[in-house]
Amino acid sequence: MERVFPLIETERLALRNVSANDAKDMFTYLSDQDVVQHMGLEPYKSSEEVMEEINWYKSIWENGTGIRWCITLKDEDTVIGSCGFLNMQQKHYKAEIGYELSRNYWGQGIASEALEAVLAYGFKHLNLERIEALIEPLNTSSQRLVEKHGFLREGLLRHYEYTCGKFDDLYMYSILKGDFPSLKHTK
């Protein structure tokens, strides 16, 4: 039996599965240096590169190693970002979270709203105990975002990744199921 990709709705957002039709919308923000600068990526230069990203979203879902939702506003079907899990390890009840948002939507609480919904899904439906976020030290807005949602900084991973021709240090953040605010009073 084929698994059904879950739709998540929040007050303002619909988080849904990606399709090839979303490539143009995704190119808008994945080609923006300000959006990708802390993702270990060069700005995308073609729709073919965006299709590789779409195929990766599909492959992590099919392989059970992650799930990535496209972020859209409820009243529009334009993809304005994504949020989801990667490097999911069911055996250890943990996953890494990642996200990005089109610059046109920064500062409106959209990333926060999407992150809250995806964290809740991970703890409630994927039975995760630990969710990690790896964040570059210069990406202070992302650090503030995860801290607002209860993540704790555990330490600095020195030269943890090699991207864009350089070694990157990354802060390791995590949140445990018992630390997640909206789950503290539910069984």
Side-chain angles (χ1 to χ4, degrees):
M1 189 169 102
E2 190 175 328
R3 296 181 302 149
V4 176
F5 193 96
L7 172 70
I8 299 175
E9 290 191 347
T10 67
E11 186 180 332
R12 297 181 292 169
L13 308 175
L15 284 69
R16 63 164 176 79
N17 199 1
V18 68
S19 78
N21 295 335
D22 299 319
K24 183 175 179 251
D25 295 342
M26 293 171 67
F27 183 75
T28 300
Y29 60 84
L30 290 173
S31 62
D32 184 337
Q33 175 64 40
D34 289 340
V35 172
V36 301
Q37 69 178 332
H38 297 298
M39 295 170 57
L41 301 172
E42 295 288 346
Y44 285 36
K45 292 178 176 39
S46 70
S47 55
E48 288 79 24
E49 288 178 315
V50 176
M51 282 309 300
E52 288 176 22
E53 185 82 359
I54 289 171
N55 290 335
W56 177 70
Y57 290 7
K58 291 182 177 299
S59 74
I60 62 172
W61 167 249
E62 290 165 4
N63 298 331
T65 59
I67 180 171
R68 193 78 168 208
W69 287 270
C70 288
I71 301 170
T72 67
L73 297 174
K74 271 187 178 175
D75 54 349
E76 302 173 25
D77 198 38
T78 303
V79 176
I80 59 171
S82 79
C83 186
F85 300 111
L86 61 151
N87 299 326
M88 204 157 48
Q89 298 177 32
Q90 293 292 346
K91 176 182 170 185
H92 298 294
Y93 301 89
K94 70 177 184 173
E96 183 182 327
I97 197 159
Y99 44 83
E100 77 279 331
L101 189 64
S102 175
R103 183 176 15 164
N104 298 339
Y105 297 90
W106 291 357
Q108 299 174 36
I110 291 172
S112 185
E113 191 172 324
L115 182 64
E116 178 83 13
V118 169
L119 289 171
Y121 187 90
F123 289 130
K124 291 176 184 173
H125 300 286
L126 299 178
N127 199 28
L128 296 174
E129 174 63 22
R130 175 185 169 89
I131 297 174
E132 300 172 344
L134 298 171
I135 303 173
E136 289 184 0
L138 293 177
N139 191 351
T140 55
S141 60
S142 189
Q143 292 169 47
R144 284 192 305 271
L145 176 64
V146 298
E147 288 168 358
K148 174 183 171 185
H149 289 278
F151 281 74
L152 298 177
R153 186 190 302 174
E154 296 182 335
L156 179 69
L157 304 170
R158 300 179 316 138
H159 286 201
Y160 191 73
E161 290 181 337
Y162 184 79
T163 61
C164 303
K166 65 181 179 14
F167 290 100
D168 297 320
D169 295 342
L170 296 172
Y171 284 132
M172 170 63 81
Y173 279 86
S174 75
I175 185 171
L176 304 180
K177 183 182 262 184
D179 298 336
F180 189 60
S182 67
L183 295 178
K184 281 190 174 179
H185 304 294
T186 60
K187 295 272 181 205

